[in-house]
Amino acid sequence: MKEQKTDLLIIGAGPGGLGAALYARRSGLDFIIVEKNMAGGQIINTNLIENYPGLMDNISGFELAQKFVEHCRKLDIEIQEYFPINSIEQLENQPDFSGNVFRSSGEDISIYSRAIIIATGAKPSRLKVRGEAELMGKGVSFCATCDGALFRDKVVAVVGGGDTAVEEALFLTNLVKKVYLIHRRDELRACNMLQCRAKENEKIEFIWSSIVEEFMGNEKLEAVIIKNKNNGKSMKLDVSAVFEYVGWQPNSELVKHLVDLDEKGFIATDTTMKTSKEGIFAVGDVRTTPFRQVITAVADGAVASMYIDKYFMEKG
Ligand code: NAP
C-alpha cells in the first residue's frame, strides 16, 4: 500500500473541484486533486453552455471542461484521473496539527490530509419503472449528447420539466424527427428562455401532467406507457428512445458517516463550504444548494480553497 501526505485532498475534478484547485494553487496550498473518471464532470455531456460569462460563442460543455483543465495544467496542477477514492476515515490524536486529519484510501493507496474538499457531484435519478433496467442502453438513456445521434430521424421522448430536460429536448430536435416532452405537471420548471424556445419548436410536443408507467420492448425500446394524472388514463407512445432527466442523486456516500446530509443525501454546508465535520468541505452539485450551475460550482470551489487557506493559518 502506497502512502501520500498532503495538506488538502480535492476529490472530484468537475467545475467545483477544478475551481478549488485553481484557487488552492493561487493560495500556495499543498494539495492533490483526484478524479475517478475523466476530468470535467457532468458538463462533458452537455451539448451547449450559453450562460458562462465571457463565453458567448456556442461552446460545448466538453470544450469548457477542456478549458478548465488547460487552465489547471498551465498552473502546473496535475489532475490524477481514473483515480477512485473508496473510503475516508478520520484519524484520532494526530500530532503537529490542532485540527482533524483524514485517511482517504483507493485500491492500493492511502492519502493523509488535513482537509478534504468533496467535489464528487451527482448522478442522474432514475424513474424506477417496469422495463427501465432491462432497456437501459437499448433506448433508455440519460445522455442525449452521447446517444442522441443513434436515433437520427426517429421519434423519441424526454421525461422531466427542468432546465436539463428542456435543453436536451431542444438539442435532440437537431437530430430526430420528433420529441415528446413528458412532464408530470402542467408547467415547466425550466428557465423562461428555455421554455420559450421549446414552445416555439415545432418538433417538440408537450405531454403534460403525465408520468411514465412502463418501458416496452424486447431487444430495444419500442414504446412507453404513460398515465395522465388528471384523468387516470394510460396510453402507449411509440418511441425509439426515452431520455430521462428527472433530477439528480448526490455522490455523497464517501462521507455519509462523517458529515451531516440533508433529507435527500446532499451534504449540508455553510457559506464557506464547511460541513459539520471540521476539515471536510463540500462544493458543487454534491452539496445542498438552491442552484446547480457551472458558475455556482466553480464559485463554491474558489470559496472553499480561500477559506481553507485561513483554516490552516488558524490551526497552525
Ligand atoms: P431539476 O431542476 O431537479 O428538475 C427535475 C425535473 O424532473 C423536474 O421538472 C421534476 O418535476 C421532474 N421529476 C422529478 N422526479 C420525477 C419523477 N419521479 N417523475 C417524473 N418527473 C420527475 O433537474 P435538472 O433539470 O437536471 O436541473 C438540475 C440543476 O441544474 C438545476 O439547478 C438547473 O437549473 C441546473 N441546470 C442548469 C442549466 C443551465 O443553466 N443551462 C442546464 C441544466 C441544468 P417537478 O418540476 O414537478 O418537480
Side-chain angles (χ1 to χ4, degrees):
M1 176 76 80
K2 278 188 289 184
E3 290 189 346
Q4 273 184 293
K5 280 192 181 156
T6 186
D7 285 338
L8 168 64
L9 172 63
I10 303 170
I11 304 178
L18 294 172
L22 284 175
Y23 273 77
R25 172 63 85 234
R26 287 170 67 82
S27 298
L29 298 179
D30 167 41
F31 70 97
I32 291 174
I33 175 166
V34 297
E35 161 60 54
K36 76 172 182 179
N37 297 311
M38 177 187 176
Q42 286 165 40
I43 56 164
I44 62 176
N45 294 324
T46 302
N47 174 54
L48 186 61
I49 303 282
E50 298 178 290
N51 51 3
Y52 201 84
L55 301 176
M56 54 233 152
D57 295 327
N58 289 353
I59 189 168
S60 71
F62 185 81
E63 288 168 310
L64 181 57
Q66 290 300 108
K67 282 188 185 290
F68 290 165
V69 169
E70 273 167 40
H71 196 159
C72 284
R73 297 218 166 106
K74 202 165 171 192
L75 296 176
D76 289 328
I77 296 168
E78 190 201 342
I79 303 161
Q80 301 192 37
E81 294 175 300
Y82 304 102
F83 191 119
I85 294 292
N86 302 324
S87 64
I88 301 177
E89 302 155 75
Q90 183 187 335
L91 305 178
E92 303 299 332
N93 305 324
Q94 295 296 302
D96 306 326
F97 183 61
S98 62
N100 290 331
V101 174
F102 303 94
R103 176 168 52 214
S104 304
S105 302
E107 208 162 275
D108 55 0
I109 189 162
S110 287
I111 300 176
Y112 294 82
S113 66
R114 304 194 298 171
I116 300 177
I117 296 178
I118 305 293
T120 44
K123 53 187 167 287
S125 294
R126 293 181 178 187
L127 287 168
K128 297 188 182 144
V129 295
R130 205 162 348 133
E132 184 192 52
E134 295 78 4
L135 292 165
M136 193 89 68
K138 297 175 185 165
V140 175
S141 170
F142 301 91
C143 182
T145 311
C146 322
D147 300 334
L150 301 173
F151 304 98
R152 203 173 280 279
D153 300 322
K154 306 268 195 236
V155 176
V156 304
V158 165
V159 188
D163 283 338
T164 310
V166 177
E167 218 167 54
E168 300 305 311
L170 285 163
F171 164 69
L172 284 165
T173 60
N174 300 318
L175 302 167
V176 303
K177 189 154 95 187
K178 177 175 182 134
V179 181
Y180 290 110
L181 203 154
I182 304 165
H183 183 37
R184 66 180 176 183
R185 291 186 294 132
D186 61 1
E187 88 187 296
L188 296 171
R189 179 181 290 275
C191 73
N192 183 267
M193 189 177 82
L194 290 172
Q195 289 199 29
C196 293
R197 277 191 208 159
K199 285 173 183 166
E200 282 165 11
N201 192 309
E202 289 177 355
K203 282 195 180 176
I204 298 180
E205 180 177 333
F206 291 90
I207 301 189
W208 300 111
S209 306
S210 297
I211 51 166
V212 173
E213 287 191 315
E214 183 179 349
F215 294 107
M216 296 176 69
N218 290 318
E219 288 306 302
K220 58 188 171 84
L221 181 74
E222 286 158 20
V224 58
I225 307 289
I226 54 171
K227 181 171 160 184
N228 183 297
K229 285 167 65 186
N230 296 333
N231 59 21
K233 286 191 179 153
S234 295
M235 67 182 263
K236 182 169 153 243
L237 276 184
D238 293 330
V239 288
S240 302
V242 173
F243 296 88
E244 294 182 18
Y245 294 111
V246 293
W248 301 88
Q249 302 289 315
N251 294 321
S252 54
E253 295 81 6
L254 272 177
V255 285
K256 66 179 187 212
H257 57 301
L258 291 171
V259 304
D260 288 347
L261 306 179
D262 70 18
E263 69 286 354
K264 291 185 175 162
F266 291 91
I267 301 174
T269 66
D270 70 6
T271 52
T272 64
M273 310 305 144
K274 265 192 297 185
T275 68
S276 58
K277 172 65 68 185
E278 186 190 315
I280 300 187
F281 299 77
V283 302
D285 285 2
V286 73
R287 81 177 184 98
T288 305
T289 172
F291 304 111
R292 296 197 160 82
Q293 306 278 320
V294 182
I295 194 166
T296 56
V298 172
D300 283 1
V303 169
S305 286
M306 286 190 284
Y307 182 80
I308 289 167
D309 189 27
K310 277 180 192 286
Y311 169 72
F312 287 154
M313 274 189 247
E314 280 164 19
K315 293 288 168 186

